[in-house]
Amino acid sequence: MLGDDLSVITCLEGIRWPGGVRCLRCNETRVRRLECKGHKGRPRYLYWCQDCGYEFSVTVGTLFEHSHLPLTKWFQAIRLMHSREVGVSAKCLSRELMVGYATAWSVAKRIRQAMAGDQAEFCKQIAGAHTGSHAGGDRAEPPARKSP
């Protein structure tokens, strides 16, 4: 089960760069991992190319780019949408991820576009890599309904 940000980033690294991290601009392998704090104090995992000086993250050029949603929730959403033939509604995704409807709708839209476009194989690899039911933490089960 992929539970924390670092393990998800490491998994995403392995999917994007099976032979090791490469610079997105010059394609060189002399890349250093940087860990710094974002403006809200959460850690940011960046990479810096020693050859061209380009700074990037593992999400650049993917459906996760420019998203503030944790990668653990993205992985959970991809797994849910990939595992069901019929699909997943934004309302269902909202309940499962414990996010607002607008966020769930946006996530579902991006995932559908990626699965229909050039990132379909990337999404399949993520769905296969992510095993476990709740990556964002343990979610409380709803109370059982009483029969009348």
Side-chain angles (χ1 to χ4, degrees):
M1 179 164 157
L2 298 171
D4 63 338
D5 286 337
L6 190 56
S7 65
V8 171
I9 287 170
T10 304
C11 177
L12 196 53
E13 255 181 42
I15 292 170
R16 281 199 79 180
W17 303 295
V21 180
R22 299 186 78 83
C23 177
L24 298 177
R25 183 181 287 166
C26 68
N27 207 27
E28 290 296 325
T29 57
R30 291 181 3 121
V31 175
R32 289 181 49 196
R33 180 185 250 176
L34 305 173
E35 186 175 335
C36 57
K37 294 208 183 256
H39 70 279
K40 291 190 176 183
R42 288 183 48 202
R44 293 187 64 210
Y45 302 97
L46 301 174
Y47 304 93
W48 177 72
C49 178
Q50 294 176 346
D51 291 326
C52 70
Y54 185 59
E55 195 174 281
F56 59 97
S57 74
V58 72
T59 62
V60 172
T62 68
L63 69 153
F64 314 121
E65 188 172 11
H66 301 300
S67 172
H68 295 283
L69 194 66
L71 286 173
T72 53
K73 291 196 180 201
W74 274 103
F75 271 49
Q76 184 180 0
I78 289 172
R79 183 191 55 83
L80 283 169
M81 293 184 74
H82 191 266
S83 67
R84 299 187 186 163
E85 270 186 45
V86 181
V88 178
S89 69
K91 188 170 185 172
C92 176
L93 207 54
S94 172
R95 279 192 309 265
E96 288 291 324
L97 299 179
M98 296 190 304
V99 297
Y101 177 81
T103 301
W105 183 86
S106 176
V107 165
K109 180 182 174 191
R110 281 196 198 186
I111 293 171
R112 283 187 194 106
Q113 287 174 339
M115 285 182 167
D118 59 343
Q119 293 187 18
E121 187 59 35
F122 180 67
C123 289
K124 285 179 189 174
Q125 288 177 331
I126 289 171
H130 182 249
T131 56
S133 57
H134 301 296
D138 292 330
R139 182 170 175 241
E141 292 297 320
R145 294 185 180 211
K146 294 180 183 175
S147 54

